[in-house]
Amino acid sequence: MLRLLPRLAGLAALILAAPAVAQAPAPAGPPRAGEAPNGLAPTPPMGWNSWNKFACNVNEATVRATAEAMAASGMRDAGYVYVVIDDCWHGPRDADGFITADKEKFPSGIRALADYVHSKGLKFGLYSDAGRHTCGGRPGSQGHEYQDALSYARWGVDYLKYDWCDTGARNAEEAYKLMADALRATGRPIVLSMCEWGTSKPWLWAANVGNLWRTTGDVIDHWEGKYDYSWGVVSIVDLNEPLWTHAGPGHWNDPDMLEIGNGGLTNTEYRSHFSLWAMMAAPLIAGNDVAAMSDATKAILLNREVIAIDQDPLGVQGHRVAKDGDREIWLKPLSGGRQALLLFNRGLAPATIAATWAQLGLAPNARLRIRDLWAHRDLPRARESYTALVPPHGVQMVVLRP
Ligand code: GLA
């Protein structure tokens, strides 16, 4: 029998307290307590970001090709709408202090690229940094916050990822609030992604500042472990999971972008990566070369049944309810009285994992319907428990409903 973890007790109260889903951007003005200040991201943002695959080698042609592939592959229609250019798009500031684009990489300029992305039915995002320089050594926004926000709004930016390199002794909450105010002052709805790596515990203050906050250092395309500033997928999970009570509509824990399709893990491991991100209501930001992805990668990123778990309007982050060595049981409450259940085998041998209704806080004799989200089929109804044989580093992911 797997050990029941104590956090389950607070779950019922949390579900009752979950705020209603915002339907439309709130008008500019001060946020109300517990509400995302800009009314955006009622469900975790989905899209693509250039960093994991292209790092500083991103350019206009790559972004255009990606936008085309996002539309043609079905990614856009599955919900991946934000196309975000990460670090290294910047040129110097002009004589008046306005930021320019790197002329070699982005010869047509950012406005034209944003227009092109919008013409594909997608939204457009950029990256900056709260310090003097970005992590890649380009100009940061410190001292230019209002000016940069104005440029972004003029260009048609819908999403800003705001990093934390070269910030010296800056106070993170103040620095992020300043940029949030500058974005709000433009009048354009812009999602604010706060990338301060969890250093000052943003989960304690950032819900009223922006829409998502990184909880860890950078993800790397490895299964587990720490590598300088980066962490393997499962190590990120262990850092992000305990923060589940802090997430909700408009304000999400961000365990960093997806590595699916980048080649470091097996497809079984990538399925686990995707399933765990969905259980954690994480932003689903693809980080692969979408224009050249394999059918196997596509089948993972485009699994709409798993995406629906991530995007469930209740907006409760799932978490681990039981653990016995390598065998874990995760639960995510969903709208309509349903539950997503994940059986996760971290070990190197196949493992039988059983979840009892008692462990999940469900009535023991409830006869529940079970839907397998990776096999895309209904399983026989079950009473009292559900058991599956789970492959090494793999998951079994199902939805339970009355
Ligand atoms: C930091 C961030 C990454 C990425 C790089 C870009 O490391 O955490 O996500 O944006 O900077 O330089």
Side-chain angles (χ1 to χ4, degrees), residues 7-315:
R7 284 191 295 271
L8 191 60
L11 194 60
L14 186 85
I15 297 167
L16 290 173
V21 176
Q23 296 298 331
R32 283 174 292 175
E35 189 182 68
N38 57 16
L40 301 172
T43 61
M46 293 177 64
W48 173 87
N49 173 298
S50 54
W51 185 254
N52 283 358
K53 175 68 185 177
F54 297 98
C56 266
N57 298 320
V58 64
N59 60 35
E60 188 176 301
T62 300
V63 177
R64 282 176 166 251
T66 301
E68 285 158 17
M70 301 267 292
S73 64
M75 295 267 295
R76 178 196 62 201
D77 295 345
Y80 296 89
V81 293
Y82 291 100
V83 172
V84 182
I85 309 177
D86 207 280
D87 207 348
C88 302
W89 61 266
H90 326 66
R93 291 193 178 276
D94 70 13
D96 296 323
F98 284 96
I99 190 70
T100 65
D102 182 315
K103 285 205 160 48
E104 300 211 333
K105 295 175 175 201
F106 298 91
S108 312
I110 300 297
R111 171 82 222 203
L113 190 51
D115 286 349
Y116 186 74
V117 169
H118 289 146
S119 78
K120 297 286 164 198
L122 294 156
K123 296 186 181 208
F124 181 75
L126 279 182
Y127 161 104
S128 188
D129 187 287
R132 295 276 173 206
H133 296 95
T134 71
C135 298
R138 304 298 172 115
S141 289
Q142 186 169 0
H144 295 273
E145 288 87 354
Y146 276 79
Q147 206 173 15
D148 285 354
L150 183 61
S151 297
Y152 305 152
R154 284 176 173 161
W155 290 338
V157 167
D158 307 298
Y159 184 111
L160 177 68
K161 173 176 169 182
Y162 203 44
D163 210 346
W164 192 241
C165 275
D166 199 13
T167 45
R170 270 199 115 172
N171 173 283
E173 183 173 355
E174 284 169 20
Y176 281 94
K177 272 187 174 153
L178 180 57
M179 183 48 96
D181 287 347
L183 294 174
R184 191 180 303 114
T186 69
R188 184 174 174 87
I190 300 177
V191 169
L192 178 56
S193 156
M194 298 169 281
C195 179
E196 134 336 323
W197 320 310
T199 313
S200 69
K201 298 190 169 64
W203 46 90
L204 299 181
W205 53 261
N208 281 326
V209 180
N211 304 103
L212 56 156
W213 54 83
R214 281 273 297 277
T215 56
T216 72
D218 291 0
V219 70
I220 192 170
D221 195 14
H222 294 317
W223 181 245
E224 59 190 333
K226 185 174 189 303
Y227 308 81
D228 296 326
Y229 300 109
S230 305
W231 303 79
V233 166
V234 170
S235 303
I236 294 242
V237 167
D238 289 337
L239 294 166
N240 192 68
E241 184 273 342
L243 305 173
W244 67 275
T245 56
H246 300 289
H251 53 278
W252 309 101
N253 288 311
D254 176 7
D256 206 0
M257 303 168 296
L258 301 170
E259 290 283 10
I260 295 153
N262 284 335
L265 305 186
T266 65
N267 286 323
T268 298
E269 291 169 333
Y270 280 139
R271 271 195 291 278
S272 299
H273 177 11
F274 198 59
S275 303
L276 285 157
W277 259 237
M279 291 297 284
M280 296 192 296
L284 297 180
I285 309 290
N288 60 315
D289 184 356
V290 175
M293 65 182 163
S294 68
D295 288 346
T297 296
K298 220 168 147 178
I300 297 171
L301 290 173
L302 287 172
N303 184 331
R304 285 180 182 250
E305 295 195 72
V306 174
I307 292 171
I309 303 306
D310 181 80
Q311 295 290 304
D312 185 80
L314 197 54

